[in-house]
Amino acid sequence: MERTNLDPHPLTALVTGATSGIGRAVAKRLAADGMSVVVTGRDAQRGAETVNEITAAGGHARFVEADLEDPAGIDRLAAVVGEIDVLVNDAGRPSGRRPRT
C-alpha cells in the first residue's frame, strides 16, 4: 500500500488524541510519510497548532474537534470525516489511579 508524496490522492489517516503527546507525534509522522491527516481532539487551539506544524513541514492536515466520550461526538466525527484509510486511536484520559506495585 505504498504511495509516493506526489500521489494526488494520498491515503487519509484519522488520528484521535492528535493534539498532544504520542497522538501528535504520530499525526506528524504520518503526514511526513505522505498521508493526509485528520487531527482530532477536544482542544481546538492545540488542534490548530498540530495542523500548522504539519502544513509548515509541507504536509496535509485538517482539524475536527471531537469529544469521544460523547456518543454524539463520535457520530459527528464519523459524518464529518467520511472515509478513511488508516485509524490511529490514541484518544484517552488519565484514570487518576496509581499503578499497583
Side-chain angles (χ1 to χ4, degrees), residues 22-95:
I22 293 171
R24 177 180 249 170
V26 169
K28 291 169 65 174
R29 177 55 192 253
L30 292 175
D33 287 345
M35 293 188 188
S36 177
V37 179
V38 181
V39 172
T40 66
R42 295 181 310 257
D43 189 313
Q45 181 178 345
R46 291 190 324 202
E49 291 168 1
T50 303
V51 168
N52 289 339
E53 290 176 15
I54 290 170
T55 57
H60 299 282
R62 65 184 172 120
F63 175 70
V64 178
E65 188 172 349
D67 182 353
L68 301 182
E69 289 186 39
D70 177 12
I74 296 168
D75 291 341
R76 180 183 160 282
L77 176 63
V80 169
V81 171
E83 290 188 29
I84 60 170
D85 301 294
V86 176
L87 171 63
V88 178
N89 188 13
D90 187 61
R93 192 177 282 232
S95 66

Side-chain angles (χ1 to χ4, degrees), residues 11-25:
L11 295 174
T12 298
L14 169 64
V15 183
T16 69
T19 59
S20 65
I22 293 171
R24 177 180 249 170

